[in-house]
Amino acid sequence: MVRFDFNPKQFGRLGFALAGLLAASCTGSIEMMGAGAGTVVDPGAAPANKPPQMTGTGGAGGTTQDPPPPTGIPSAVCKPSVSVSTPIRRLSRREYNNTVADLIGDKTAPAAGFPPELITTGFDTAADASMLNEGIVDNYLDAAQVLAQAGAANLPALLGCDPATKGEDVCAGQFITGFGRRAFRRPLTPEEQGRYQALYAATKKTAGFATSIELVLRAFLLAPQFMYRVETGNQPGPRPGLLKPTPYEMATRLSYFIWGSAPDDELLAAADAGRLATAEQVAAQAQRLLAHDNGGRLIRSFYGQLLGLGRLADLSRGPLFSARLASAMQQEIDLYFDTMIRKRKATWPELLTSPVGFVNTDSAPVYGMSGVSGLQLREIARPADRYRGFLTMPAFLTMRALPNQGSPILRGKFIREKILCQHIPDPPPNVDTKLAPADATTTARQILEAKTQTVQPCMTCHTLLNPPGFAFGNFDQIGAWNVTDAEKRNIETGGSLEGTDVDGTFKGHLDLIDKLAKSEETASCVGKVWFRYAMARMESVDDGCIQRDLLETFKASKGDIQQVLLKLVTTDAFLYR
Amino acid sequence: MKLSRRTMLRGLGGVSVALPFLESAGTVFGAAGQAPKRVVFIFSSTGSVRKNWKPATVGPNPAPTPILKPLCTPELKPYLTALSGLNMDAGGGVNTHLEGMATCMTASQNKGDFASGISIDTAIGKNFKGVTPFESLQFGVNTRNPPNGFGDSFITYREKAGGGVEGLYPEDNPITMYGKLFANISANGAPSPLMVQQLAQNRSVLDFVIDEHKRLAATLSGADRSRLEEHATMIRNLEQRLAIVNTTCTKPKQALTTVGSTSAGSNVRPIAEMHMDMIAAAFACDLTRVATLQFSTGESALNWDDVDKSLNFRASGTSWWHGISHQPVNWDPTTATGNDRDALTAITGIQAWFAERIASLAMRMKGYTDSDGKTVLDNSLIVWVTEVAEGNHRMSDMPYTAVGNLGGALKSNIHLAYNKRQHGDLFATIGTAMGLPGFTTFGRQGYSQGPLTDWLA
């Protein structure tokens, strides 16, 4: 028999970082308590101001007055975007790995062992450069050295130029120009070109050609223009206060958003030619990047982080759980989102409810299937009486579990925070979070309910958290289906959803998922979380128009995620600084 | 074969030739016949079992206890010290694992689960800036395991440029650490002309990059500008290592050449063993005077079954470290029954496992002859710390174990019992015994009273 304590910091630094955004009590901090009920109309919102002009679907463009916020979208008080400072941003570990893979073909993920980013928005796109310390700088020095050595070991491939026929200095000059352009995401200035040429020339004298190229490459990989994204574009935007990033900065925004990496030649050529000036041109490039093989990186990165799947293989989940099973689970959910969104143009309700699954020999038993052989994943239609969408996938359920049982609190919290975009504060400090074990007379649910849903300070939040968590009670710590608990009792998964726009009773997880698929709150949450990922910041009241436009696009496309993404890159927040 | 940047540092070890770009760092070893003093901190999480740890009698030659038994061998018993009765009150406020981690090496007041002062390892280490290539070294085992951000906290903190403190992550990957410390060190330490040339090249690239940071910084303003200037300063600091002359060093055998997931339970022991090889060798080579070896984190999700199946920690129904630590209601092994007894047995087994690791580290250090003809262990101290006394989050009567006596500066083979003294005093004693300035107290004002004088020899 086991007793668990639920720590206030289930979400660690994320919770800590967001603490400033959370009010002290649950009642005060859950936004959008019900359709319309929580609407806050900012009396200061100036209706005469034009909404953003750059619009695709949604129809807001060109109107001279803001339409009233669509009913049931409490937070969408439309205020036109204002300039938001864009501090220099150091590449995240993921971005660093992708970039060196694309630039020099190194797929060893050298930044994987660097210290993790401080996460403030739920995503690593907002990696905060202020977290810099000597340890990280040391990591960069080591990585650049190893990368440069490996790169220079295959000089012909690195240079793309034959020094024997063209001359060493010509090849070096071409390398500095060409590699510099990719690494700095823009053409080098003449001064930069000159400095790198000088470094090359000085080293060549003492160490020879190959070593000098290696050192130049190392210098590029350690250059601030490579490690940091710097935006300086200051041409006026469509409204006072908004500035246009340079075409190269726009190319960089696009490629780091969608590929998590530096722009390719085509994108840089578009910037050269001034073909990233309009929303349509930006959207067209976004569409190209998304359809490219590297486009899958965005889907994997976004949903991996939204679902917090990073450490799946390291979890302890009992004797049936293994690194191979973790790998199959991870591959399934990656493949699910990528296939559904990029290949099948899935809508959000489809992502929540699709029977599509992918199994191999390791993961088939979790779904109760036998006779599946091989490590290659194959597509299956999961039985509809148990499985519906990604919330019933083993990767998600295993992540939101304890070592020996599923966790209703973690699952409920995920639905509240990541599907409904509500804020649930951590338990107050010093609250006793120990739970007695289930026994012959009392179920785990009864114990948790008695402990958290009958007394303050627990019950305000847990009344909201627990029911959607209990709905998944049939799924154990590896997402396998259990009809009964250890005492052979049926597991009670029904409950009542409160504080949403789809309140009411539900019979179990299938019923709950169907409710969520119809919820406009989840629709608006889709826009919010994508906004946080793409803009590397939390949305503010000044982003009201954008939130509204994203929701309009969502509704017009019935929740087509690709359409939402294309809309996102044409919002003021993406196009201007 | 190419030599790494690190190689250059270490490869020049033992050189007395004057090279134009090498600033002499003075004698790395102390005055003739005096070996340097070193200290290593071992952190293991979730506490101990008081009654199975604490020796029954106070004073010299304490009898073995279930937890300390591995350190009571004839070779090691003369070095063993148990310090009981010290309280860890300086953190203040909330007392749980993460807060305990923040204060366990800093003795500072917590800000949330973050410390407000520097930790004892960096406090000692900063005295050796420019003397040893590394002011301090932080080794980790399974410190990034926790899911959902559990236990994502620091035990090592150092001063931050511009004020305040910053947390330092330990390095979990022993191969990375090996490269950092020992890659390509030549056995005899004589620098070839090639090594000298490559050292110069390494410096030229870093100088170039530092200039690039400053140049770009000058075009920016405010926080962006200072961020890049800070970055340049950090590269400059790291570059300083290229100028430090090191002593002749025999590198340890590289026990692992590949390592899978550093978070896998099955890797805990092999990684720990390799880290300990390196700690002992780093001391013998005088690469540093202080090291920290951190085992997991306060809310560790490690399953002990994955570490060592023979230990059979599942007797109590789970082998989940943090989980087990919270099971006992009755913490007295003499009266505990049923689930309580099983859990106490499991925790005691884990603690004895750590005592075994510490014993093997001590024996490694005993295997190196120091510059004064004694062993490295003779001139060192191993200190075992944790973030809570027991899994019930008690922060009083902490179970501190030490092995070594810093060249006779401390008493050993003794159980010292205290009343109303604080764990900052333990650290003040260590700094003082190493002969370092600034250790009249350690940590939060009003808590530490100063060195434990009865421990000083």
Side-chain angles (χ1 to χ4, degrees):
Chain A
M1 288 297 172
V2 188
R3 176 183 301 120
F4 298 101
D5 68 348
F6 293 93
N7 191 275
K9 299 195 181 62
Q10 301 279 25
F11 288 89
R13 299 222 165 271
L14 169 60
F16 186 66
L18 287 176
L21 300 167
L22 304 176
S25 80
C26 221
T27 325
S29 70
I30 292 188
E31 297 175 348
M32 303 171 293
M33 286 292 289
T39 305
V40 179
V41 179
D42 181 355
N49 277 358
K50 282 180 125 185
Q53 294 301 301
M54 302 302 171
T55 53
T57 53
T63 53
T64 52
Q65 198 167 341
D66 286 348
T71 5
I73 313 154
S75 69
V77 177
C78 184
K79 284 179 70 180
S81 296
V82 296
S83 177
V84 176
S85 77
T86 51
I88 60 168
R89 195 189 300 159
R90 190 155 44 85
L91 301 187
S92 70
R93 292 173 301 163
R94 177 177 57 83
E95 291 166 340
Y96 186 93
N97 288 338
N98 286 338
T99 306
V100 299
D102 293 349
L103 261 54
I104 47 181
D106 188 295
K107 304 241 164 64
T108 59
F114 292 8
E117 290 80 17
L118 176 69
I119 302 294
T120 53
T121 58
F123 301 105
D124 67 355
T125 48
D128 184 355
S130 71
M131 276 295 279
L132 191 72
N133 63 45
E134 234 168 75
I136 299 174
V137 174
D138 203 9
N139 286 332
Y140 282 130
L141 297 185
D142 286 344
Q145 175 160 16
V146 173
L147 288 166
Q149 273 181 16
N154 191 358
L155 214 48
L158 181 67
L159 293 173
C161 171
D162 182 6
T165 57
K166 293 207 167 162
E168 292 179 343
D169 292 355
V170 171
C171 284
Q174 284 180 8
F175 173 69
I176 289 168
T177 310
F179 187 82
R181 176 179 157 91
R182 291 293 306 283
F184 291 3
R185 285 93 57 177
R186 57 169 172 75
L188 300 192
T189 65
E191 293 76 23
E192 286 166 341
Q193 179 87 26
R195 293 200 298 271
Y196 279 86
Q197 291 281 169
L199 176 68
Y200 158 76
T203 326
K204 190 187 163 192
K205 252 187 281 176
T206 56
F209 178 67
T211 303
S212 62
I213 295 292
E214 179 190 324
L215 293 192
V216 165
L217 176 54
R218 182 151 35 130
F220 270 128
L221 295 173
L222 292 171
Q225 299 95 326
F226 170 75
M227 307 235 301
Y228 290 91
R229 289 167 53 189
V230 183
E231 294 192 339
T232 58
N234 57 4
Q235 293 301 302
R239 284 198 317 278
L242 290 186
L243 299 174
K244 275 186 173 170
T246 69
Y248 298 105
E249 289 162 7
M250 182 50 63
T252 301
R253 281 188 174 196
L254 266 179
S255 70
Y256 274 96
F257 170 46
I258 299 176
W259 287 358
S261 182
D264 64 352
D265 288 332
E266 189 171 338
L267 200 49
L268 288 174
D272 285 339
R275 280 187 280 108
L276 287 172
T278 68
E280 290 70 26
Q281 289 170 330
V282 169
Q285 282 293 339
Q287 210 153 10
R288 177 181 76 83
L289 298 186
L290 206 50
H292 187 282
D293 278 353
N294 287 351
R297 288 176 182 169
L298 172 64
I299 305 300
R300 199 163 51 244
S301 162
F302 175 83
Y303 285 102
Q305 294 189 57
L306 187 76
L307 272 65
L309 300 177
R311 289 154 157 171
L312 199 58
D314 297 333
L315 299 180
S316 293
R317 289 290 181 270
L320 296 177
F321 190 68
S322 65
R324 275 178 48 160
L325 176 56
S327 164
M329 290 177 175
Q330 176 84 54
Q331 288 180 60
E332 174 188 40
I333 207 157
D334 285 348
L335 203 51
Y336 177 78
F337 284 113
D338 194 43
T339 306
M340 295 294 286
I341 293 172
R342 292 204 312 140
K343 301 217 169 57
R344 299 183 189 165
K345 307 211 177 310
T347 64
W348 174 243
E350 282 165 355
L351 287 177
L352 279 170
T353 59
S354 168
V356 167
F358 299 88
V359 294
N360 70 4
T361 187
D362 294 322
S363 59
V366 176
Y367 281 124
M369 293 174 66
S370 54
V372 176
S373 61
L375 289 176
Q376 185 71 34
L377 264 68
R378 70 188 63 173
E379 181 168 339
I380 56 163
R382 298 174 297 160
D385 57 341
R386 292 184 181 175
Y387 302 101
R388 203 158 287 184
F390 64 88
L391 291 174
T392 58
M393 281 193 167
F396 167 75
L397 295 160
T398 300
M399 201 67 221
R400 261 66 187 184
L402 297 166
N404 64 353
Q405 62 187 61
S407 168
I409 292 179
L410 294 178
R411 290 167 182 177
K413 183 157 167 140
F414 177 86
I415 288 169
R416 289 285 173 187
E417 295 196 323
K418 307 290 182 177
I419 304 288
L420 289 158
C421 285
Q422 299 177 341
H423 296 313
I424 305 288
D426 289 337
N430 288 333
V431 74
D432 172 16
T433 51
K434 290 190 184 65
L435 282 174
D439 56 29
T441 54
T442 328
T443 66
R445 175 169 181 160
Q446 287 164 342
I447 288 164
L448 187 54
E449 282 178 337
K451 175 98 177 182
T452 63
Q453 286 180 243
T454 58
V455 288
Q456 293 296 14
C458 310
M459 62 185 284
T460 309
C461 291
H462 280 276
T463 309
L464 300 168
L465 272 182
N466 296 0
F470 287 136
F472 294 86
N474 291 116
F475 295 102
D476 67 14
Q477 74 274 15
I478 58 170
W481 182 265
N482 293 285
V483 179
T484 58
D485 69 7
E487 304 280 345
K488 306 283 175 227
R489 292 173 295 223
N490 279 327
I491 297 168
E492 179 51 57
T493 60
S496 175
L497 191 63
E498 289 171 30
T500 73
D501 63 338
V502 285
D503 281 355
T505 56
F506 55 83
K507 289 200 276 289
H509 67 291
L510 298 177
D511 213 11
L512 173 68
I513 289 171
D514 287 345
K515 270 182 182 296
L516 294 173
K518 292 190 197 91
S519 158
E520 198 158 288
E521 249 182 278
T522 74
S524 119
C525 185
V526 167
K528 281 184 187 169
V529 289
W530 274 108
F531 178 94
R532 292 170 197 171
Y533 184 94
M535 311 307 171
R537 60 179 174 86
M538 298 300 287
E539 68 278 6
S540 81
V541 64
D542 293 322
D543 301 309
C545 292
I546 293 174
Q547 298 306 330
R548 183 205 58 192
D549 290 351
L550 290 173
L551 184 58
E552 286 301 308
T553 301
F554 183 103
K555 294 205 298 198
S557 67
K558 301 197 163 34
D560 182 331
I561 299 292
Q562 283 212 47
Q563 290 305 314
V564 173
L565 294 185
L566 293 176
K567 179 69 197 172
L568 194 58
V569 298
T570 61
T571 59
D572 280 3
F574 198 87
L575 293 176
Y576 305 110
R577 56 189 292 264
Chain B
M1 182 175 175
K2 287 282 180 180
L3 294 161
S4 74
R5 184 170 62 90
R6 304 296 180 200
T7 309
M8 300 314 303
L9 322 181
R10 249 61 69 193
L12 290 165
V15 186
S16 55
V17 290
L19 300 167
F21 44 81
L22 288 178
E23 298 139 28
S24 170
T27 318
V28 286
F29 284 84
Q34 258 207 331
K37 291 173 177 166
R38 307 101 167 171
V39 58
V40 47
F41 296 92
I42 311 280
F43 170 89
S44 69
S45 68
T46 75
S48 190
V49 177
R50 171 166 39 190
K51 295 208 168 173
N52 284 341
W53 168 80
K54 193 187 284 192
T57 57
V58 175
N61 198 20
T65 66
I67 289 172
L68 294 177
K69 197 166 155 227
L71 293 165
C72 294
T73 61
E75 293 90 353
L76 295 179
K77 184 76 191 306
Y79 298 91
L80 178 68
T81 301
L83 300 114
S84 66
L86 295 173
N87 296 340
M88 199 163 80
D89 297 331
V94 183
N95 287 336
T96 63
H97 298 281
L98 301 193
E99 289 77 9
M101 284 180 73
T103 199
C104 75
M105 300 252 294
T106 64
S108 71
Q109 185 173 12
N110 291 329
K111 292 178 175 171
D113 55 15
F114 203 78
S116 61
I118 64 172
S119 53
I120 180 65
D121 50 351
T122 66
I124 292 171
K126 69 180 182 177
N127 289 281
F128 299 101
K129 187 182 180 70
V131 176
T132 55
F134 299 90
E135 289 181 30
S136 63
L137 291 172
Q138 282 74 32
F139 297 80
V141 181
N142 194 259
T143 66
R144 317 283 166 88
N145 180 15
N148 303 331
F150 264 105
D152 191 9
S153 195
F154 301 98
I155 61 169
T156 296
Y157 296 82
R158 69 172 171 196
E159 282 154 4
K160 190 175 176 191
V165 297
E166 62 185 1
L168 282 189
Y169 277 107
E171 176 59 65
D172 278 12
N173 189 325
I175 295 168
T176 305
M177 208 55 157
Y178 193 86
K180 212 177 171 73
L181 298 177
F182 304 108
N184 302 330
I185 284 187
S186 56
N188 60 15
S192 66
L194 181 68
M195 292 169 89
V196 174
Q197 189 193 51
Q198 290 188 349
L199 176 55
Q201 287 162 8
N202 282 332
R203 290 175 67 96
S204 76
V205 173
L206 295 189
D207 287 344
F208 179 91
V209 170
I210 289 166
D211 282 350
E212 289 292 304
H213 277 79
K214 289 181 179 164
R215 229 181 276 273
L216 184 57
T219 69
L220 303 170
S221 58
D224 290 347
R225 182 182 194 138
S226 40
R227 205 163 272 181
L228 287 186
E229 285 168 351
E230 227 177 278
H231 196 146
T233 305
M234 289 175 188
I235 301 176
R236 176 70 73 200
N237 290 343
L238 292 166
E239 191 187 20
Q240 301 301 320
R241 285 189 205 151
L242 293 171
I244 290 171
V245 180
N246 191 14
T247 182
T248 303
C249 181
T250 308
K251 64 175 170 182
K253 279 206 184 105
Q254 185 175 346
L256 304 172
T257 50
T258 58
V259 60
S261 168
T262 55
S263 301
S266 57
N267 271 331
V268 163
R269 181 156 177 185
I271 289 175
E273 299 289 340
M274 181 158 165
H275 279 342
M276 293 190 295
D277 286 346
M278 292 190 282
I279 290 171
F283 283 165
C285 298
D286 208 27
L287 298 180
T288 191
R289 301 286 168 86
V290 54
T292 299
L293 175 57
Q294 176 184 344
F295 282 92
S296 209
T297 56
E299 293 174 346
S300 178
L302 185 65
N303 248 329
W304 276 90
D305 256 7
D306 301 334
V307 179
D308 188 343
K309 284 203 186 332
S310 71
L311 295 170
N312 193 22
F313 287 128
R314 220 178 263 287
S316 57
T318 179
S319 78
W320 173 33
W321 197 357
H322 182 209
I324 311 173
S325 81
H326 279 290
Q327 285 192 43
V329 176
N330 176 2
W331 280 84
D332 184 348
T334 59
T335 57
T337 56
N339 188 48
D340 284 353
R341 184 193 57 221
D342 291 346
L344 291 178
T345 304
I347 299 166
T348 302
I350 293 170
Q351 292 301 302
W353 187 93
F354 281 112
E356 276 176 45
R357 300 287 80 67
I358 291 168
S360 78
L361 173 61
M363 291 308 289
R364 282 170 168 86
M365 290 161 67
K366 211 167 189 291
Y368 281 101
T369 306
D370 217 338
S371 58
D372 60 357
K374 295 184 188 169
T375 73
V376 166
L377 179 63
D378 285 310
N379 295 315
S380 303
L381 182 71
I382 304 171
V383 185
W384 183 10
V385 303
T386 179
E387 90 289 11
V388 288
E390 285 175 333
N392 53 11
H393 297 180
R394 181 167 57 77
M395 300 259 175
S396 59
D397 193 3
M398 299 292 291
Y400 291 115
T401 308
V403 180
N405 52 41
L406 290 173
L410 295 169
K411 289 175 193 156
S412 57
N413 195 9
I414 193 165
H415 171 203
L416 298 166
Y418 296 94
N419 185 21
K420 293 185 180 159
R421 294 296 295 267
Q422 292 292 324
H423 80 304
D425 296 341
L426 171 74
F427 300 140
T429 317
I430 296 167
T432 301
M434 289 181 82
L436 302 173
F439 285 93
T440 49
T441 62
F442 188 82
R444 187 175 177 182
Q445 266 202 333
Y447 284 74
S448 171
Q449 299 166 33
L452 304 164
T453 47
D454 56 346
W455 191 16
L456 292 168

